C-alpha cells in the first residue's frame, strides 16, 4: 500500500468515479444544447476559468459559430445574492417603490436633483481656474452619483454627510468585489469575504435615527402627517411589508441596497460616457449648443430633458457599446415556470418549474437552469445596427430626425430613446422585468451630462486613447483608475504620457524596481528599489497615507 503507484491509481479511480457520478446527475434535457468549449470533467473547469477572463469574446465567437439560437457555457455562478442577503434578493418589494413612487415624483423632485448636481460637481471636482486638471473619473463620478441619488433617497442634510456617502460607496465596491471573490470559493465562506455587516452597522448608526423619527411621527399623527418629506424613505414606508414595516434596521438595509444599485449602475454608465466623450470630443460642442438652446427656451426641468435629443442619443449609444456585461436577463416569458435572479454572471432568469421550460424551437431547459441573453453580441450585430463597432454619439438622434420626417409623431412614437427597451437594446433589460429604476437613472444621467457639457471642457489624458475596460466573467466595467496620474502644474515627459500606464499595485510594483527600464526615456532620476520587501513596504505606506 506504500507503493506510490497505488496512490496514483486510487486517485485516478476516484476522479473517474466522481466524474461518472457528476455525469449521472446531469439532466439529459441539457445534452441537446450545444456547449461552448468542452463538457469534459476537467476541461469544463478549465473553460470556466477561461470564461472568467474572456467571457465576452467567447460568447461573441460562439453566437456566430453555431446555427442554434441557444448554447450552453461552463461558468462559475454563485451570485451577489450571498452578499446582499436573501431577504433583499428573494423579496425585492422596493423595486415596486422605485417603479411607481420614485418614477411618478421625478418631475416634482427634479429641482432638488438639479441643485445637488450643481453643488456636487462644485464640491467634488473643485475646478477653480481655467487650467486643465486631471481627475480619476470613476471615483469622482461615484461621489457625485451618491450625492445626487441620496438627495432623493434621504434628503438634506444627510445626503451631504461625508461619512454616510463614503459608506454607501464602500458598500457598493464591497458588493462587487466580494461577489467576484466568492465565485472562486464554496458558498459557506461568503460571510468571511464580504464587509456587508460593517457597512450595514454604519448605515444603521447614521440613517437609523431618521427612519425611527419617521416611524414615530407616523404612529403619532398618521401616515399623512404634516411636513412629511417627499423622498424615498416616505415612499418605502408606504410599501414596506410585514415586520419591515416597523423595523428601522430592515428599512436601512433596503435603502443601502438601493444605493448599491443606483451608485453602481449609474456610475458605470456615466464613466463610460465620459471616456467616450473624451475619446470622441467632436460631440461636445453640438451637445453644448443643444443644452444652451433648450435651457434658454424651457429652463431646467424634467420636461426640458426630453428636448435634449443629442444628449439622450449620446448616452444611449454609450450604453449600447459599453453594456454592463456580455450577458443579461432574457425577455421574461409569459410562463410561470421562471423567475428573475441576480448572480455573479449577471441578471438571469431561472427555471423554477419542476418539469423544466420549453422554448418555441423545442429546446428544453431543466429545473434550476439559468438563462441569459448575449446582450453585447446583440449590440455588436450588423443585423441590428449599421457599423455596430463604431461609436456614433448621434446615431439615435439622426434616427429620431428621420422618424419624425416620415411619420406622424401622434400616431407612431419614436421608440429608441434612452429609456426605451427592445430585443436589440438591452442595457436596462426588456419586458415587464426591465430595470425599474431606468427612468430615474436616465433623468439623473441626462441632467448630469447636460450640466457637464455646458460648464466644462473635457479631453483624454492621451489623445484618442480610451482606457481599457476591466473584465471579470460576463461583467465589463470602465477602467477603475481611468487615466495615468498627473498633478496640475507638473510637467511630464512624453515617455511617461505615451506609456499610457494605468497605475495599480501591480504596475507600481514593477515600476519601482527599475523606472528607466519600465518607462524608457523617462527623466526620473530615481534608480529604483531592488528588494521586493522594500517595494512592498513603500506601496503599503502609500496606501495608508492616501486613505
Amino acid at each position: 500500500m506504500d507503493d506510490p503507484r497505488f496512490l496514483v491509481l486510487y486517485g485516478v479511480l476516484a476522479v473517474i468515479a466522481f466524474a461518472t457520478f457528476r455525469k449521472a446527475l446531469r439532466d439529459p434535457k441539457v445534452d441537446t444544447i450545444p456547449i461552448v468549449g468542452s463538457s469534459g470533467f476537467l476541461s469544463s473547469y478549465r473553460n470556466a476559468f477561461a470564461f472568467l477572463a474572456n467571457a465576452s469574446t467567447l460568447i461573441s465567437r460562439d453566437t456566430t459559430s453555431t446555427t442554434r439560437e441557444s448554447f450552453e457555457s461552463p461558468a462559475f455562478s454563485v451570485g451577489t445574492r450571498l452578499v446582499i442577503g436573501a431577504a433583499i434578493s428573494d423579496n425585492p418589494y422596493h423595486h415596486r417603490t422605485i417603479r411607481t413612487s420614485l418614477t411618478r415624483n421625478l418631475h416634482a423632485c427634479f429641482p432638488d436633483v438639479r441643485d445637488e448636481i450643481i453643488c456636487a460637481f462644485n464640491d467634488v471636482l473643485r475646478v477653480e481656474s481655467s487650467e486643465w486638471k486631471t481627475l480619476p473619473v470613476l471615483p469622482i463620478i461615484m461621489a457625485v452619483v451618491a450625492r445626487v441619488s441620496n438627495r432623493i433617497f434621504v434628503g438634506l442634510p444627510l445626503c451631504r454627510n461625508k461619512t454616510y456617502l463614503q459608506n454607501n460607496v464602500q458598500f457598493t465596491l464591497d458588493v462587487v468585489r466580494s461577489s467576484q471573490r466568492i465565485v472562486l470559493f464554496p458558498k459557506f465562506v461568503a460571510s468571511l469575504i464580504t464587509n456587508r455587516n460593517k457597512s450595514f452597522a454604519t448605515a444603521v448608526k447614521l440613517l437609523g435615527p431618521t427612519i425611527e423619527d419617521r416611524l414615530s411621527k407616523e404612529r403619532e399623527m398618521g401616515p399623512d402627517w404634516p411636513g412629511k418629506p417627499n423622498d424615498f424613505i416616505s415612499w418605502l414606508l408606504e410599501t414596506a411589508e410585514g415586520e419591515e414595516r416597523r423595523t428601522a434596521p430592515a428599512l436601512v438595509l433596503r435603502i443601502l441596497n438601493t444605493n448599491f444599485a443606483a451608485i453602481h449602475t449609474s456610475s458605470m454608465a456615466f464613466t463610460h460616457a465620459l471616456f467616450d466623450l473624451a475619446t470622441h470630443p467632436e460631440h461636445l460642442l453640438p451637445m453644448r449648443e443643444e443644452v444652451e438652446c433648450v435651457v434658454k427656451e424651457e429652463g431646467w426641468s424634467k420636461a426640458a430633458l426630453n428636448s435634449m435629443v443629442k444628449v439622450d442619443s449620446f448616452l444611449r449609444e454609450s450604453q449600447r457599446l459599453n453594456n454592463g456585461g456580455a450577458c443579461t436577463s432574457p425577455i421574461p416569458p409569459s410562463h410561470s415556470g421562471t423567475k428573475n435572479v441576480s448572480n455573479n454572471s449577471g441578471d438571469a432568469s431561472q427555471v423554477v418549474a419542476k418539469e423544466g421550460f420549453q422554448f418555441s424551437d423545442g429546446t428544453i431547459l431543466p429545473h434550476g437552469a439559468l438563462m441569459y441573453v448575449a446582450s453585447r453580441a446583440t449590440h455588436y450585430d450588423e443585423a441590428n445596427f449599421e457599423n455596430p463597432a463604431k461609436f456614433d454619439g448621434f446615431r439615435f438622434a439622426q434616427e429620431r430626425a428621420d422618424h419624425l420626417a416620415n411619420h406622424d409623431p401622434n400616431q407612431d412614437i419614436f421608440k429608441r430613446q434612452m429609456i426605451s427597451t427592445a430585443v436589440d437594446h438591452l442595457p436596462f433589460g426588456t419586458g415587464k422585468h426591465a430595470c425599474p429604476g431606468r427612468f430615474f437613472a436616465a433623468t439623473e444621467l441626462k441632467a448630469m451630462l447636460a450640466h457637464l457639457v455646458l460648464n466644462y471642457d473635457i479631453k483624454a489624458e492621451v489623445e484618442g486613447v480610451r482606457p481599457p475596460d476591466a473584465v471579470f466573467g460576463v461583467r465589463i466595467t470602465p477602467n477603475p483608475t481611468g487615466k495615468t496620474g498627473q498633478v496640475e502644474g507638473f510637467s511630464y515627459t512624453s515617455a511617461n504620457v505615451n506609456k499610457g500606464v494605468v497605475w495599480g499595485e501591480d504596475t507600481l510594483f514593477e515600476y519601482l524596481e527599475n523606472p528607466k527600464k519600465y518607462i524608457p526615456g523617462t527623466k526620473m532620476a530615481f534608480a529604483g528599489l531592488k528588494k521586493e520587501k522594500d517595494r512592498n513596504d513603500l506601496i503599503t505606506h502609500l496606501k495608508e497615507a492616501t486613505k
Side-chain angles (χ1 to χ4, degrees):
M1 292 297 293
D2 293 333
D3 192 329
R5 289 177 297 178
F6 283 102
L7 296 178
V8 173
L9 176 61
Y10 291 148
V12 171
L13 291 175
V15 170
I16 293 174
F18 183 77
T20 303
F21 177 71
R22 178 173 173 268
K23 178 69 175 178
L25 292 179
R26 181 177 170 86
D27 196 305
K29 298 184 183 73
V30 182
D31 291 335
T32 62
I33 304 174
I35 295 176
V36 175
S38 172
S39 61
F41 171 59
L42 295 178
S43 58
S44 65
Y45 281 92
R46 181 194 64 210
N47 289 336
F49 277 105
F51 195 81
L52 287 179
N54 208 19
S56 182
T57 300
L58 293 175
I59 291 173
S60 295
R61 181 195 68 193
D62 290 293
T63 54
T64 57
S65 65
T66 177
T67 58
R68 291 289 299 271
E69 293 185 356
S70 57
F71 56 89
E72 179 187 359
S73 174
F76 295 101
S77 180
V78 177
T80 54
R81 180 178 185 274
L82 296 175
V83 184
I84 66 175
I88 301 293
S89 180
D90 293 345
N91 183 23
Y93 71 79
H94 57 289
H95 288 182
R96 187 167 65 253
T97 309
I98 295 169
R99 184 181 297 110
T100 56
S101 300
L102 175 56
T103 301
R104 283 198 302 262
N105 282 280
L106 286 177
H107 285 276
C109 293
F110 185 80
D112 291 336
V113 171
R114 170 66 181 154
D115 177 63
E116 204 59 41
I117 287 174
I118 296 171
C119 294
F121 270 93
N122 289 340
D123 294 345
V124 176
L125 269 64
R126 295 185 179 276
V127 177
E128 299 171 352
S129 70
S130 59
E131 296 294 324
W132 284 103
K133 182 177 183 179
T134 301
L135 298 168
V137 179
L138 184 56
I140 289 293
I141 297 308
M142 291 186 80
V144 171
V145 169
R147 276 189 57 165
V148 176
S149 299
N150 277 281
R151 181 65 180 267
I152 288 185
F153 293 168
V154 302
L156 291 168
L158 192 56
C159 72
R160 296 181 185 177
N161 182 300
K162 290 184 179 181
T163 304
Y164 173 77
L165 294 172
Q166 289 170 356
N167 185 65
N168 282 302
V169 170
Q170 190 58 51
F171 176 73
T172 299
L173 295 172
D174 286 341
V175 169
V176 175
R177 292 168 180 169
S178 297
S179 65
Q180 291 177 346
R181 291 194 291 264
I182 287 173
V183 77
L184 302 174
F185 297 95
K187 295 182 180 181
F188 66 83
V189 304
S191 60
L192 304 177
I193 292 177
T194 176
N195 291 321
R196 181 178 67 124
N197 292 340
K198 181 180 179 181
S199 296
F200 176 54
T202 302
V204 169
K205 179 181 178 181
L206 295 171
L207 180 57
T210 299
I211 295 179
E212 292 284 8
D213 180 65
R214 301 279 186 94
L215 290 171
S216 175
K217 289 181 178 178
E218 187 171 301
R219 286 191 295 267
E220 293 176 8
M221 296 178 280
D224 297 319
W225 48 277
K228 178 181 177 180
N230 189 35
D231 60 17
F232 190 75
I233 297 176
S234 296
W235 308 328
L236 191 62
L237 286 172
E238 294 171 359
T239 56
E241 300 175 347
E243 282 299 312
E244 290 197 15
R245 185 68 184 78
R246 300 181 296 275
T247 309
L251 294 170
V252 168
L253 185 59
R254 291 278 166 183
I255 295 175
L256 187 62
N257 279 279
T258 302
N259 262 285
F260 156 66
I263 294 172
H264 176 63
T265 56
S266 294
S267 297
M268 299 298 112
F270 201 76
T271 300
H272 275 308
L274 288 192
F275 286 158
D276 288 330
L277 183 57
T279 310
H280 305 279
E282 66 275 10
H283 293 83
L284 192 146
L285 288 181
M287 285 194 290
R288 178 176 294 170
E289 292 171 358
E290 176 183 72
V291 173
E292 288 176 340
C293 180
V294 170
V295 170
K296 182 178 179 180
E297 294 182 0
E298 304 180 41
W300 283 100
S301 67
K302 168 68 171 60
L305 294 181
N306 297 332
S307 300
M308 299 180 187
V309 296
K310 290 179 180 177
V311 170
D312 185 284
S313 174
F314 187 92
L315 287 168
R316 182 179 172 94
E317 176 73 347
S318 182
Q319 283 185 308
R320 182 185 72 81
L321 286 173
N322 307 293
N323 192 24
C327 296
T328 190
S329 174
I331 306 168
S334 57
H335 190 286
S336 59
T338 66
K339 69 174 182 179
N340 273 42
V341 297
S342 179
N343 62 34
N344 197 68
S345 295
D347 292 326
S349 289
Q350 185 175 38
V351 177
V352 295
K354 296 299 183 182
E355 67 276 14
F357 176 81
Q358 183 171 355
F359 289 97
S360 59
D361 67 350
T363 300
I364 299 177
L365 296 182
H367 170 76
L370 296 176
M371 296 184 287
Y372 303 88
V373 166
S375 54
R376 191 174 180 87
T378 300
H379 295 165
Y380 281 75
D381 191 338
E382 291 184 351
N384 297 325
F385 300 97
E386 184 179 352
N387 296 323
K390 176 185 177 182
F391 182 87
D392 179 0
F394 301 147
R395 178 192 299 269
F396 298 105
Q398 184 60 51
E399 286 189 14
R400 184 186 297 214
D402 294 342
H403 180 88
L404 291 175
N406 296 288
H407 298 82
D408 181 352
N410 296 319
Q411 300 294 326
D412 190 0
I413 300 173
F414 182 71
K415 298 179 180 179
R416 292 171 82 85
Q417 304 174 50
M418 185 182 176
I419 59 170
S420 304
T421 63
V423 294
D424 61 356
H425 189 80
L426 299 162
F428 290 126
T430 191
K432 68 178 182 179
H433 290 297
C435 173
R438 68 185 184 278
F439 299 97
F440 169 61
T443 298
E444 181 180 51
L445 293 176
K446 287 164 68 174
M448 286 173 57
L449 183 57
H451 176 79
L452 184 140
V453 300
L454 191 61
N455 294 281
Y456 300 91
D457 291 320
I458 182 172
K459 66 177 181 179
E461 181 70 22
V462 180
E463 185 177 356
V465 177
R466 192 184 196 278
D469 292 332
V471 178
F472 187 88
V474 299
R475 290 180 175 172
I476 303 170
T477 58
N479 195 296
T481 53
K483 302 173 185 177
T484 54
Q486 182 171 342
V487 180
E488 185 179 359
F490 188 89
S491 177
Y492 286 81
T493 62
S494 58
N496 284 56
V497 174
N498 293 332
K499 179 71 174 179
V501 183
V502 177
W503 291 109
E505 291 185 37
D506 53 345
T507 51
L508 184 58
F509 184 87
E510 187 177 353
Y511 170 83
L512 288 173
E513 182 178 14
N514 191 334
K516 290 185 179 294
K517 180 181 178 181
Y518 188 72
I519 304 181
T522 182
K523 295 180 181 179
M524 174 66 72
F526 175 57
L529 298 172
K530 305 306 177 187
K531 294 182 178 179
E532 181 176 329
K533 181 179 183 302
D534 291 341
R535 300 198 297 279
N536 281 325
D537 288 345
L538 178 56
I539 292 173
T540 300
H541 170 73
L542 290 172
K543 288 169 63 179
E544 292 297 322
T546 55
K547 280 186 176 179

